[in-house]
């Protein structure tokens, strides 16, 4: 269970001591940490523009970045690498914030859009759109991904709360696994029966930033911005709800409205990210835990750090995939799975999963 954000360094809800060693004494250093993370993200973004299957020296990359001359190298940088890096930034922000939001809303440290079936629900929406309605544009993918994510979220919640008044974290995880299994089977059946849909879907399902251009960035940008603004606006209400609904109500939080807007933000963020880059796992699971380790349980800081650390992880994984797969590349979804899998196993092996 999580606790409310401290109003002063070293204190928690109602003056209770904040957990030691988890950012309670970080105080002013948390703001400096954001600046360091922003600088690291900038450097990785430059690496994303520089590193690729075509070897372009860094000095030439830097010059062409500001003064394109129409050469093939300039086309590669401006038409492929810059939009790819920009998309990695947007998708990373979306996955980091949606994972942090979902963990806070459910008070479940294992919650993320992939684990609870939201990402695969978005994938199912895309599969249906391609196979049955002939959808072939990114904007079309986005709308069907939103619908699939929404239906999957509702299904997981209904299964997790069946027979009980309260939803428990373990029941949500089991419900998410069940919904994921059903959706995976449905997707497999549809793709086997529709070869054209399979041809379009197979390049998208592994999770990749390759081949995306500015049109993809422009399509998902408004959804990610709106979802991010909603998520950041919910930081204080989420702090109040961290010790339970009754405490939140006593502190003046509208519980139902907070959860509704949180669900809308998760659907906007996860739907846009999945539609643009395919299902990319473990980013939404791993990053909020790293953020809480650095700055403690205050959702204001957790969300802010998640919005920076997630694109750092995603762009870094994309660059690493290009280096490891040279002269080709390893898709970013595969790299994040290798990086995030050990963290997931470590969380499962802990005797008690907490949100502190």
């Amino acid at each position: 269970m999580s606790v409310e954000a401290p109003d002063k360094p070293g204190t928690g809800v109602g003056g209770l001591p904040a957990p030691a060693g988890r950012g309670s004494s970080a105080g002013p250093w948390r703001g400096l940490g954001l600046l360091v993370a922003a600088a690291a993200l900038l450097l990785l973004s430059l690496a994303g523009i520089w590193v690729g299957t075509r070897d372009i020296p860094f000095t030439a990359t830097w010059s062409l970045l500001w003064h394109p001359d129409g050469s093939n190298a300039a086309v590669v940088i401006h038409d492929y690498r810059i939009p790819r890096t920009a998309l990695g930034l947007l998708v990373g922000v979306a996955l980091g914030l949606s994972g942090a939001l979902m963990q806070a809303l459910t008070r479940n440290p294992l919650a993320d859009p992939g684990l609870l079936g939201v990402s695969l629900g978005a994938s199912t929406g895309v599969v249906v759109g391609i196979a049955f309605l002939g959808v072939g544009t990114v904007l079309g993918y986005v709308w069907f991904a939103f619908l699939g994510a929404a239906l999957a979220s509702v299904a997981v919640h209904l299964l997790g709360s069946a027979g009980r008044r309260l939803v428990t974290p373990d029941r949500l995880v089991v419900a998410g696994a069940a919904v994921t299994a059903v959706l995976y089977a449905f997707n497999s059946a549809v793709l086997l029966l529709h070869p054209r849909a399979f041809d379009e879907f197979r390049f998208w399902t592994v999770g990749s930033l390759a081949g995306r251009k500015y049109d993809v960035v422009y399509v998902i940008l408004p959804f990610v911005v709106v979802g991010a603004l909603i998520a950041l606006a919910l930081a204080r209400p989420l702090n109040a709800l961290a010790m339970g609904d009754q405490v939140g109500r006593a502190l003046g939080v509208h519980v139902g409205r907070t959860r509704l807007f949180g669900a809308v933000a998760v659907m906007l963020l996860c739907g846009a990210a999945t539609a643009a880059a395919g299902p990319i796992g473990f980013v939404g699971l791993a990053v909020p835990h790293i953020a809480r380790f650095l700055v403690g349980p205050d959702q204001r800081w957790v969300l802010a750090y998640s919005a920076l650390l997630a694109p750092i992880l995603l762009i870094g994984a994309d660059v690493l995939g290009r280096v490891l797969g040279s002269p080709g590349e390893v898709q970013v979804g595969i790299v994040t799975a290798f990086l995030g899998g050990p963290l997931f196993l470590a969380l499962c092996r802990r005797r008690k999963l907490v949100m502190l």
Side-chain angles (χ1 to χ4, degrees), residues 21 41 47 57 108-109 154 162 169 176 181 188 190 218 244 251 275 318 337:
L41 179 58
N108 180 0
V154 172
S188 299
V190 171
Y218 296 149
L251 293 174
D318 189 38

Side-chain angles (χ1 to χ4, degrees), residues 22 96 99-100 102-104 107-112 115 282-297 299 302-303 305-306 309 340 343-344 346-348 350 352-356:
R22 302 297 297 274
M102 189 166 286
Q103 291 177 14
R107 296 194 288 274
N108 180 0
L110 291 180
D112 85 320
L115 189 65
F282 292 106
V283 175
L285 171 65
V287 168
H289 285 279
I290 298 172
R292 281 192 294 272
F293 177 80
L294 293 174
V295 298
Q299 291 299 324
V302 170
L303 290 170
Y305 268 76
S306 296
L309 295 178
L343 174 62
F344 179 74
L347 291 172
C348 290
R350 291 176 60 181
K352 184 178 180 181
L353 294 173
V354 296
M355 289 287 289
L356 295 179

Side-chain angles (χ1 to χ4, degrees), residues 245-303:
D245 293 354
Q246 293 182 348
V247 174
R249 291 190 184 96
L251 293 174
V253 174
H254 194 295
V255 177
R257 185 166 54 198
T258 299
R259 287 182 174 159
L260 174 61
F261 279 106
V264 170
V266 169
M267 285 185 287
L268 287 172
L269 294 167
C270 182
T274 307
I280 297 177
F282 292 106
V283 175
L285 171 65
V287 168
H289 285 279
I290 298 172
R292 281 192 294 272
F293 177 80
L294 293 174
V295 298
D298 188 340
Q299 291 299 324
R300 294 171 297 182
W301 290 103
V302 170
L303 290 170

Side-chain angles (χ1 to χ4, degrees), residues 188-287:
S188 299
V190 171
L191 294 174
L192 286 174
L193 294 174
H194 295 79
R196 185 189 65 82
F198 175 76
D199 288 338
E200 292 188 31
F201 185 76
R202 66 192 178 97
F203 295 107
W204 176 83
T205 188
V206 294
S208 176
L209 302 176
R212 275 64 167 179
K213 296 187 179 181
Y214 284 112
D215 56 349
V216 180
V217 176
Y218 296 149
V219 166
I220 72 166
L221 177 60
F223 301 112
V224 174
V225 170
V226 172
L229 291 176
I230 295 174
L232 295 174
L234 291 176
R236 287 184 179 274
L238 289 174
N239 278 335
L241 291 179
M243 291 195 65
D245 293 354
Q246 293 182 348
V247 174
R249 291 190 184 96
L251 293 174
V253 174
H254 194 295
V255 177
R257 185 166 54 198
T258 299
R259 287 182 174 159
L260 174 61
F261 279 106
V264 170
V266 169
M267 285 185 287
L268 287 172
L269 294 167
C270 182
T274 307
I280 297 177
F282 292 106
V283 175
L285 171 65
V287 168

Side-chain angles (χ1 to χ4, degrees), residues 233 336 338:
T336 57
F338 274 104

